[in-house]
Amino acid sequence: PLSEASGVVAQGWGEPGTIYLQDSRLVVETLTTTQEAFYYGFARWAPSQLTISNAWIRLCETGFVTTVTNGVLLSGSSARFDLVTNASFFCGGDLRLADGARAYLYCSATNPAALVSSNVSIEVTAGRTLDIGSNCWIYPVSHNASGGVARLAADQLRIAYTNGGINADSRGFRGGLTAGPVTGAGPGAGHNTGGGGYGGQGGSYSAPWGQTYGTSNTPAMPGSGGGSWDFNGGPGGGCVWVTVTRGAQVEGSLTARGGNGQSSASGGSGGSIFLWCRTLSGSGVICADGGSAPNNGSGGGGRIAIYYSTDAFLGTLSATNGTASSGPKTGGAGTIVKVRIPLPGTVYVVR
Protein backbone atom coordinates (compact mmCIF):
# COMPACT_ATOMS: atom_id res chain seq x y z
CA PRO A 1 0.00 0.00 0.00
CA LEU A 2 0.91 3.65 -0.38
CA SER A 3 2.31 5.07 2.86
CA GLU A 4 4.23 8.07 4.18
CA ALA A 5 3.24 7.63 7.82
CA SER A 6 4.63 9.77 10.61
CA GLY A 7 7.02 8.47 13.23
CA VAL A 8 6.57 8.60 16.98
CA VAL A 9 8.89 10.70 19.16
CA ALA A 10 8.93 11.35 22.88
CA GLN A 11 7.13 14.71 22.50
CA GLY A 12 4.39 13.46 20.13
CA TRP A 13 3.69 12.68 16.49
CA GLY A 14 5.61 14.10 13.55
CA GLU A 15 3.73 15.06 10.38
CA PRO A 16 3.20 12.49 7.63
CA GLY A 17 5.26 12.72 4.47
CA THR A 18 3.94 13.52 0.99
CA ILE A 19 2.63 11.36 -1.84
CA TYR A 20 2.40 12.77 -5.36
CA LEU A 21 -0.10 11.16 -7.75
CA GLN A 22 -1.31 12.22 -11.19
CA ASP A 23 -4.87 11.19 -10.31
CA SER A 24 -6.85 9.54 -7.53
CA ARG A 25 -6.99 5.97 -8.90
CA LEU A 26 -4.49 4.63 -6.34
CA VAL A 27 -6.23 6.23 -3.36
CA VAL A 28 -8.46 3.72 -1.59
CA GLU A 29 -11.80 4.51 0.07
CA THR A 30 -10.76 3.19 3.50
CA LEU A 31 -7.64 4.99 4.70
CA THR A 32 -5.75 3.68 7.72
CA THR A 33 -2.26 4.34 9.09
CA THR A 34 -0.79 2.48 6.12
CA GLN A 35 -2.13 5.18 3.76
CA GLU A 36 -1.37 8.20 5.99
CA ALA A 37 0.04 11.07 3.93
CA PHE A 38 -0.24 14.60 2.58
CA TYR A 39 -1.52 14.07 -0.98
CA TYR A 40 -0.38 16.22 -3.92
CA GLY A 41 -0.71 16.14 -7.70
CA PHE A 42 -4.45 15.61 -8.21
CA ALA A 43 -7.27 18.02 -7.36
CA ARG A 44 -10.43 15.95 -7.79
CA TRP A 45 -11.59 12.84 -5.97
CA ALA A 46 -14.98 11.12 -6.18
CA PRO A 47 -15.12 7.99 -4.00
CA SER A 48 -18.42 6.22 -3.38
CA GLN A 49 -17.76 6.35 0.40
CA LEU A 50 -14.86 7.40 2.61
CA THR A 51 -13.51 6.07 5.90
CA ILE A 52 -10.47 7.54 7.64
CA SER A 53 -9.49 5.37 10.60
CA ASN A 54 -6.66 6.60 12.85
CA ALA A 55 -4.84 8.20 9.90
CA TRP A 56 -3.82 11.79 9.17
CA ILE A 57 -4.87 12.76 5.63
CA ARG A 58 -4.41 16.15 4.00
CA LEU A 59 -5.59 17.08 0.49
CA CYS A 60 -3.09 19.73 -0.50
CA GLU A 61 -3.77 21.00 -4.00
CA THR A 62 -5.37 24.42 -4.45
CA GLY A 63 -9.08 24.20 -5.28
CA PHE A 64 -9.35 20.51 -4.33
CA VAL A 65 -12.88 19.18 -5.00
CA THR A 66 -14.01 16.06 -3.13
CA THR A 67 -17.40 14.53 -3.98
CA VAL A 68 -18.36 11.46 -1.92
CA THR A 69 -21.50 9.74 -3.17
CA ASN A 70 -22.50 8.28 0.20
CA GLY A 71 -21.30 8.78 3.77
CA VAL A 72 -18.00 9.76 5.39
CA LEU A 73 -16.61 8.42 8.68
CA LEU A 74 -13.60 9.84 10.52
CA SER A 75 -12.85 7.50 13.41
CA GLY A 76 -10.24 7.19 16.16
CA SER A 77 -8.17 9.48 18.36
CA SER A 78 -5.42 9.61 15.71
CA ALA A 79 -7.82 10.33 12.84
CA ARG A 80 -7.33 13.75 11.30
CA PHE A 81 -8.55 15.16 7.99
CA ASP A 82 -7.26 18.48 6.62
CA LEU A 83 -8.59 20.68 3.83
CA VAL A 84 -6.61 23.65 2.54
CA THR A 85 -6.72 26.51 0.04
CA ASN A 86 -10.10 27.00 -1.63
CA ALA A 87 -11.31 23.44 -1.15
CA SER A 88 -14.83 22.12 -1.66
CA PHE A 89 -15.99 18.94 0.11
CA PHE A 90 -19.39 17.27 -0.41
CA CYS A 91 -20.83 13.98 0.79
CA GLY A 92 -24.30 12.71 -0.07
CA GLY A 93 -24.82 10.92 3.25
CA ASP A 94 -23.79 11.51 6.86
CA LEU A 95 -20.49 13.16 7.74
CA ARG A 96 -19.53 11.54 11.07
CA LEU A 97 -16.64 12.21 13.43
CA ALA A 98 -16.31 9.51 16.10
CA ASP A 99 -13.99 8.38 18.90
CA GLY A 100 -11.80 11.48 19.09
CA ALA A 101 -11.46 12.32 15.38
CA ARG A 102 -10.63 15.85 14.21
CA ALA A 103 -10.93 17.92 11.04
CA TYR A 104 -8.98 21.12 10.26
CA LEU A 105 -10.12 23.62 7.63
CA TYR A 106 -7.17 25.86 6.69
CA CYS A 107 -8.59 28.83 4.82
CA SER A 108 -6.72 30.80 2.18
CA ALA A 109 -6.88 34.54 1.65
CA THR A 110 -10.01 34.57 -0.53
CA ASN A 111 -11.82 32.34 -3.00
CA PRO A 112 -12.87 34.20 -6.19
CA ALA A 113 -15.14 31.27 -7.15
CA ALA A 114 -17.05 31.20 -3.85
CA LEU A 115 -20.79 31.13 -4.39
CA VAL A 116 -21.84 32.48 -1.00
CA SER A 117 -19.40 35.24 -0.18
CA SER A 118 -16.07 36.44 -1.50
CA ASN A 119 -14.35 35.65 1.79
CA VAL A 120 -15.46 31.98 1.84
CA SER A 121 -12.36 29.89 1.22
CA ILE A 122 -13.54 26.37 2.12
CA GLU A 123 -17.03 24.85 1.84
CA VAL A 124 -18.01 21.56 3.50
CA THR A 125 -21.47 20.10 2.82
CA ALA A 126 -23.15 16.99 4.24
CA GLY A 127 -26.26 15.82 2.40
CA ARG A 128 -27.62 14.31 5.61
CA THR A 129 -26.31 14.76 9.18
CA LEU A 130 -23.09 16.43 10.31
CA ASP A 131 -22.54 14.30 13.42
CA ILE A 132 -19.72 15.38 15.78
CA GLY A 133 -19.16 12.73 18.45
CA SER A 134 -17.46 12.52 21.83
CA ASN A 135 -14.08 14.30 22.01
CA CYS A 136 -14.40 15.15 18.30
CA TRP A 137 -13.75 18.60 16.89
CA ILE A 138 -13.88 20.58 13.69
CA TYR A 139 -11.42 23.49 13.65
CA PRO A 140 -12.14 26.23 11.07
CA VAL A 141 -8.89 28.21 10.76
CA SER A 142 -9.44 31.61 9.16
CA HIS A 143 -6.66 33.22 7.14
CA ASN A 144 -4.84 35.26 9.76
CA ALA A 145 -4.00 38.21 7.50
CA SER A 146 -6.95 38.58 5.12
CA GLY A 147 -9.83 36.84 6.87
CA GLY A 148 -10.82 33.96 4.56
CA VAL A 149 -13.36 31.72 6.33
CA ALA A 150 -14.96 28.28 6.08
CA ARG A 151 -18.67 27.57 5.66
CA LEU A 152 -20.36 24.32 6.70
CA ALA A 153 -23.78 23.10 5.56
CA ALA A 154 -25.85 20.03 6.38
CA ASP A 155 -29.41 18.75 6.53
CA GLN A 156 -29.00 18.32 10.30
CA LEU A 157 -26.31 19.15 12.87
CA ARG A 158 -25.83 16.80 15.81
CA ILE A 159 -23.38 17.56 18.63
CA ALA A 160 -24.66 15.12 21.24
CA TYR A 161 -21.76 15.22 23.73
CA THR A 162 -20.49 18.03 25.93
CA ASN A 163 -16.87 17.40 24.90
CA GLY A 164 -17.26 17.94 21.18
CA GLY A 165 -18.12 20.65 18.69
CA ILE A 166 -16.76 23.30 16.32
CA ASN A 167 -13.87 25.29 17.76
CA ALA A 168 -12.56 28.50 16.15
CA ASP A 169 -10.95 29.87 19.33
CA SER A 170 -7.91 32.09 18.53
CA ARG A 171 -8.22 31.16 14.85
CA GLY A 172 -8.98 34.61 13.43
CA PHE A 173 -6.76 37.57 12.50
CA ARG A 174 -3.32 37.33 14.10
CA GLY A 175 -2.22 39.39 17.08
CA GLY A 176 0.79 41.71 17.04
CA LEU A 177 4.10 39.91 17.24
CA THR A 178 6.85 40.39 19.80
CA ALA A 179 9.46 43.19 19.73
CA GLY A 180 6.61 45.70 19.83
CA PRO A 181 4.86 47.94 19.85
CA VAL A 182 3.20 46.18 16.90
CA THR A 183 -0.40 46.44 15.69
CA GLY A 184 -2.46 43.27 15.30
CA ALA A 185 -4.20 42.28 12.06
CA GLY A 186 -7.80 42.78 10.97
CA PRO A 187 -10.25 45.68 10.48
CA GLY A 188 -10.49 46.13 14.27
CA ALA A 189 -6.84 45.51 15.05
CA GLY A 190 -5.52 46.66 18.40
CA HIS A 191 -2.74 49.26 18.34
CA ASN A 192 0.19 48.81 20.74
CA THR A 193 -1.57 48.48 24.10
CA GLY A 194 -5.04 48.15 22.58
CA GLY A 195 -7.22 45.06 22.39
CA GLY A 196 -8.82 43.94 19.16
CA GLY A 197 -12.35 45.04 18.30
CA TYR A 198 -15.22 43.40 16.36
CA GLY A 199 -18.70 43.35 17.92
CA GLY A 200 -17.37 45.54 20.75
CA GLN A 201 -14.39 47.88 20.65
CA GLY A 202 -11.09 46.80 22.15
CA GLY A 203 -9.91 48.12 25.48
CA SER A 204 -6.88 50.45 25.78
CA TYR A 205 -5.20 53.09 27.92
CA SER A 206 -6.19 55.66 25.28
CA ALA A 207 -7.21 55.97 21.64
CA PRO A 208 -6.74 54.48 19.14
CA TRP A 209 -8.32 51.21 20.24
CA GLY A 210 -9.61 48.36 18.15
CA GLN A 211 -12.75 49.47 16.31
CA THR A 212 -16.02 47.64 15.68
CA TYR A 213 -16.80 46.45 12.14
CA GLY A 214 -19.03 44.06 10.22
CA THR A 215 -22.75 43.55 10.76
CA SER A 216 -24.63 42.10 13.71
CA ASN A 217 -27.22 40.30 11.54
CA THR A 218 -24.82 38.46 9.22
CA PRO A 219 -21.50 38.03 11.05
CA ALA A 220 -19.18 36.11 8.74
CA MET A 221 -15.75 37.56 9.55
CA PRO A 222 -13.04 36.59 12.02
CA GLY A 223 -12.16 38.68 15.06
CA SER A 224 -9.15 41.02 15.05
CA GLY A 225 -5.86 40.63 16.86
CA GLY A 226 -4.65 42.58 19.87
CA GLY A 227 -1.56 44.78 19.82
CA SER A 228 1.79 43.66 21.18
CA TRP A 229 4.15 45.33 23.60
CA ASP A 230 7.23 43.10 23.83
CA PHE A 231 4.97 40.04 23.98
CA ASN A 232 2.53 38.50 21.49
CA GLY A 233 -0.94 40.03 21.24
CA GLY A 234 -3.86 37.63 21.34
CA PRO A 235 -5.28 36.53 17.98
CA GLY A 236 -8.92 37.16 17.20
CA GLY A 237 -11.52 34.42 17.33
CA GLY A 238 -12.30 32.73 14.04
CA CYS A 239 -15.61 32.18 12.27
CA VAL A 240 -18.12 29.36 12.86
CA TRP A 241 -20.57 29.57 9.96
CA VAL A 242 -23.11 26.73 9.76
CA THR A 243 -26.27 26.49 7.65
CA VAL A 244 -28.62 23.65 8.61
CA THR A 245 -31.75 22.79 6.63
CA ARG A 246 -33.54 21.22 9.61
CA GLY A 247 -32.47 20.77 13.25
CA ALA A 248 -29.29 21.76 15.08
CA GLN A 249 -28.62 19.98 18.40
CA VAL A 250 -25.81 21.60 20.41
CA GLU A 251 -24.99 19.77 23.64
CA GLY A 252 -21.30 20.54 23.11
CA SER A 253 -19.96 23.86 21.88
CA LEU A 254 -19.69 26.31 19.00
CA THR A 255 -16.93 28.74 19.98
CA ALA A 256 -14.91 31.59 18.45
CA ARG A 257 -13.19 33.11 21.49
CA GLY A 258 -10.41 35.67 21.14
CA GLY A 259 -6.95 34.76 22.37
CA ASN A 260 -5.42 36.21 25.53
CA GLY A 261 -2.55 38.70 25.36
CA GLN A 262 0.77 37.56 26.81
CA SER A 263 2.07 39.58 29.77
CA SER A 264 2.05 43.23 28.59
CA ALA A 265 0.30 42.50 25.26
CA SER A 266 -3.42 42.89 24.53
CA GLY A 267 -6.25 40.44 23.89
CA GLY A 268 -7.85 39.60 20.56
CA SER A 269 -11.53 40.19 19.91
CA GLY A 270 -14.12 37.44 19.81
CA GLY A 271 -14.94 36.08 16.38
CA SER A 272 -18.30 35.19 14.84
CA ILE A 273 -20.93 32.47 15.17
CA PHE A 274 -23.41 32.51 12.27
CA LEU A 275 -25.99 29.73 12.55
CA TRP A 276 -29.09 29.15 10.44
CA CYS A 277 -31.46 26.28 11.32
CA ARG A 278 -35.14 25.39 11.63
CA THR A 279 -34.97 23.99 15.17
CA LEU A 280 -32.25 24.81 17.71
CA SER A 281 -31.97 22.52 20.73
CA GLY A 282 -29.48 21.41 23.37
CA SER A 283 -27.82 22.68 26.54
CA GLY A 284 -24.35 23.48 25.25
CA VAL A 285 -22.24 26.61 24.79
CA ILE A 286 -22.29 29.14 21.93
CA CYS A 287 -19.56 31.68 22.66
CA ALA A 288 -17.62 34.49 20.94
CA ASP A 289 -16.00 36.19 23.95
CA GLY A 290 -13.03 38.53 23.65
CA GLY A 291 -9.56 37.62 24.92
CA SER A 292 -8.22 38.87 28.25
CA ALA A 293 -5.06 40.84 29.02
CA PRO A 294 -3.27 40.91 32.38
CA ASN A 295 -1.72 44.37 31.93
CA ASN A 296 -3.17 46.06 28.82
CA GLY A 297 -6.36 46.25 26.76
CA SER A 298 -8.67 43.26 26.55
CA GLY A 299 -10.43 42.20 23.38
CA GLY A 300 -13.96 43.26 22.57
CA GLY A 301 -16.71 40.68 22.27
CA GLY A 302 -17.47 39.10 18.90
CA ARG A 303 -20.76 38.65 17.06
CA ILE A 304 -23.37 35.89 17.24
CA ALA A 305 -26.40 35.63 14.95
CA ILE A 306 -28.85 32.74 15.06
CA TYR A 307 -31.79 32.32 12.67
CA TYR A 308 -34.39 29.73 13.70
CA SER A 309 -38.05 28.76 13.56
CA THR A 310 -38.21 26.87 16.88
CA ASP A 311 -35.91 27.72 19.79
CA ALA A 312 -35.49 24.96 22.38
CA PHE A 313 -31.91 25.84 23.29
CA LEU A 314 -31.26 25.87 27.05
CA GLY A 315 -27.53 26.46 26.98
CA THR A 316 -25.26 29.50 27.19
CA LEU A 317 -24.98 32.35 24.67
CA SER A 318 -22.09 34.74 25.26
CA ALA A 319 -20.24 37.45 23.31
CA THR A 320 -18.81 39.46 26.17
CA ASN A 321 -15.49 41.30 26.36
CA GLY A 322 -12.34 39.86 27.87
CA THR A 323 -11.11 40.93 31.29
CA ALA A 324 -8.38 43.49 31.95
CA SER A 325 -6.52 44.80 35.00
CA SER A 326 -8.55 48.02 35.16
CA GLY A 327 -11.78 49.53 33.83
CA PRO A 328 -10.48 51.80 31.03
CA LYS A 329 -8.53 48.90 29.54
CA THR A 330 -11.59 46.66 29.29
CA GLY A 331 -13.06 46.07 25.83
CA GLY A 332 -16.72 46.44 24.95
CA ALA A 333 -19.35 43.72 24.86
CA GLY A 334 -20.14 42.12 21.52
CA THR A 335 -23.50 41.52 19.83
CA ILE A 336 -26.02 38.68 19.95
CA VAL A 337 -28.91 38.62 17.48
CA LYS A 338 -31.66 35.99 17.37
CA VAL A 339 -34.13 36.10 14.49
CA ARG A 340 -37.19 33.89 14.20
CA ILE A 341 -37.84 32.82 10.63
CA PRO A 342 -41.27 31.65 9.35
CA LEU A 343 -42.04 27.94 9.27
CA PRO A 344 -42.23 26.40 5.77
CA GLY A 345 -45.63 26.99 4.24
CA THR A 346 -46.35 30.17 6.20
CA VAL A 347 -48.72 32.44 4.26
CA TYR A 348 -48.85 36.18 4.81
CA VAL A 349 -51.91 38.14 3.75
CA VAL A 350 -51.41 41.87 3.25
CA ARG A 351 -54.51 44.04 2.83
Side-chain angles (χ1 to χ4, degrees):
L2 294 170
S3 178
E4 280 294 341
S6 56
V8 181
V9 295
Q11 289 76 24
W13 291 88
E15 289 189 342
T18 64
I19 292 178
Y20 183 92
L21 300 170
Q22 289 186 323
D23 55 48
S24 63
R25 285 178 293 179
L26 295 179
V27 184
V28 296
E29 295 181 352
T30 299
L31 296 162
T32 64
T33 52
T34 57
Q35 291 87 29
E36 185 170 81
F38 290 179
Y39 286 89
Y40 286 88
F42 63 101
R44 288 188 175 271
W45 188 24
S48 63
Q49 61 86 35
L50 175 61
T51 298
I52 298 176
S53 177
N54 281 317
W56 185 354
I57 305 298
R58 179 178 293 175
L59 305 178
C60 299
E61 293 294 341
T62 298
F64 203 109
V65 176
T66 307
T67 306
V68 184
T69 305
N70 299 299
V72 174
L73 172 63
L74 312 180
S75 178
S77 59
S78 298
R80 174 171 167 175
F81 183 54
D82 297 352
L83 294 174
V84 302
T85 318
N86 299 345
S88 173
F89 184 93
F90 171 85
C91 72
D94 295 335
L95 172 52
R96 292 183 55 219
L97 282 73
D99 302 322
R102 295 157 294 156
Y104 284 79
L105 312 178
Y106 292 105
C107 298
S108 59
T110 56
N111 184 355
L115 300 177
V116 178
S117 172
S118 61
N119 73 321
V120 174
S121 168
I122 293 177
E123 295 206 55
V124 175
T125 303
R128 295 179 63 183
T129 301
L130 174 56
D131 189 347
I132 303 174
S134 177
N135 200 30
C136 296
W137 299 94
I138 295 177
Y139 297 101
V141 183
S142 297
H143 193 276
N144 66 8
S146 66
V149 301
R151 175 181 177 268
L152 295 89
D155 182 56
Q156 297 188 82
L157 171 65
R158 180 174 183 263
I159 306 173
Y161 299 89
T162 58
N163 61 340
I166 304 174
N167 184 329
D169 294 349
S170 299
R171 292 179 171 88
F173 287 104
R174 63 164 179 79
L177 304 178
T178 55
V182 178
T183 301
H191 297 256
N192 305 339
T193 62
Y198 183 21
Q201 70 179 27
S204 182
Y205 277 118
S206 59
W209 41 73
Q211 299 297 307
T212 61
Y213 58 96
T215 64
S216 59
N217 289 359
T218 56
M221 296 185 70
S224 293
S228 68
W229 193 275
D230 297 331
F231 291 87
N232 290 338
C239 175
V240 177
W241 185 352
V242 187
T243 302
V244 181
T245 305
R246 293 194 290 167
Q249 177 190 7
V250 182
E251 306 293 352
S253 58
L254 305 176
T255 60
R257 301 180 181 95
N260 297 334
Q262 299 177 5
S263 187
S264 57
S266 301
S269 75
S272 59
I273 312 285
F274 189 12
L275 174 62
W276 183 290
C277 61
R278 288 293 174 184
T279 300
L280 176 62
S281 63
S283 302
V285 174
I286 300 176
C287 178
D289 289 352
S292 297
N295 296 300
N296 275 312
S298 68
R303 296 191 186 276
I304 296 173
I306 300 174
Y307 290 76
Y308 65 93
S309 294
T310 302
D311 184 7
F313 184 69
L314 302 176
T316 301
L317 284 174
S318 178
T320 191
N321 48 274
T323 59
S325 58
S326 64
K329 295 185 287 186
T330 301
T335 62
I336 298 176
V337 173
K338 297 178 71 177
V339 179
R340 185 172 183 179
I341 55 178
L343 290 168
T346 301
V347 177
Y348 292 94
V349 177
V350 180
R351 295 181 178 177

